[in-house]
């Protein structure tokens, strides 16, 4: 079972890294829009779309690792982290909880930044 826990932790770390990369790309795009570099801002869109694909793959890999661990723990495939974490050995709970929390916080920041960028890009195109 420890092997499956370690695999889940690795996939959570990879997902976190990809969220960080997405946030960096969105921050860069926002700076381009603020500096009124409209053409460069529009050219950043494919880079963000590409990172979105990488992020989707990282999430899918993490989801599969989670399903495998759930199987090992005799939990349903649809179990949430809230249901999964208490079933883990106590040594692993804080790390998994921290990684899940960091991923969730970065995801919220990404959604917020994406909304801001959408508004800024819409205004840029209009002007």
């Amino acid at each position: 079972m420890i092997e499956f826990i370690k695999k889940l932790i690795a996939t959570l770390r990879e997902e976190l890294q990809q969220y960080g990369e997405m946030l960096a790309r969105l921050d860069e795009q926002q700076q381009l829009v603020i500096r009124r570099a409209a053409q460069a801002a529009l050219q950043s869109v494919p880079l963000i779309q590409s990172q979105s694909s990488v992020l989707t793959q990282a999430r899918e890999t993490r989801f599969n690792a989670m399903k495998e661990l759930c199987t090992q723990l005799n939990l349903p495939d649809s179990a949430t982290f809230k249901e999964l974490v208490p079933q883990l050995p106590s040594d692993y709970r804080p790390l998994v909880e921290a990684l899940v929390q960091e991923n969730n916080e970065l995801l919220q920041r990404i959604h917020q930044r994406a909304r801001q960028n959408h508004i800024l890009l819409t205004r840029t195109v209009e002007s």
Side-chain angles (χ1 to χ4, degrees):
M1 175 179 60
I2 299 301
E3 173 187 331
F4 292 96
I5 295 171
K6 288 181 178 181
K7 183 176 179 181
L8 177 62
I9 289 168
T11 61
L12 282 166
R13 285 181 172 144
E14 176 63 21
E15 187 176 8
L16 184 63
Q17 181 178 341
Q18 297 308 323
Y19 279 137
E21 185 67 31
M22 176 63 89
L23 188 59
R25 288 178 190 239
L26 289 169
D27 285 344
E28 181 181 337
Q29 182 184 56
Q30 190 172 80
Q31 289 305 310
L32 290 169
V33 173
I34 290 170
R35 290 192 323 240
R36 300 190 186 275
Q39 188 62 33
L42 291 175
Q43 290 174 346
S44 70
V45 172
L47 296 173
I48 291 171
Q49 290 171 333
S50 174
Q51 182 59 30
S52 180
S53 295
V54 171
L55 186 50
T56 298
Q57 182 59 48
R59 289 180 71 176
E60 185 65 29
T61 301
R62 188 260 307 151
F63 183 71
N64 289 334
M66 188 174 169
K67 282 175 39 176
E68 290 174 355
L69 181 56
C70 285
T71 299
Q72 291 295 310
L73 295 170
N74 295 318
L75 293 172
D77 284 355
S78 60
T80 63
F81 276 109
K82 197 172 199 173
E83 297 164 325
L84 175 65
V85 170
Q87 305 303 315
L88 299 177
S90 59
D91 293 353
Y92 291 96
R93 289 180 202 155
L95 177 57
V96 172
E97 286 174 338
L99 287 168
V100 169
Q101 182 178 346
E102 284 186 67
N103 277 329
N104 287 336
E105 288 171 3
L106 267 181
L107 181 58
Q108 288 175 353
R109 288 176 59 196
I110 287 168
H111 285 178
Q112 178 185 20
R113 191 65 35 82
R115 281 191 300 273
Q116 290 171 346
N117 287 9
H118 178 74
I119 291 168
L120 288 171
L121 284 168
T122 300
R123 289 181 184 162
T124 299
V125 170
E126 288 173 356
S127 63

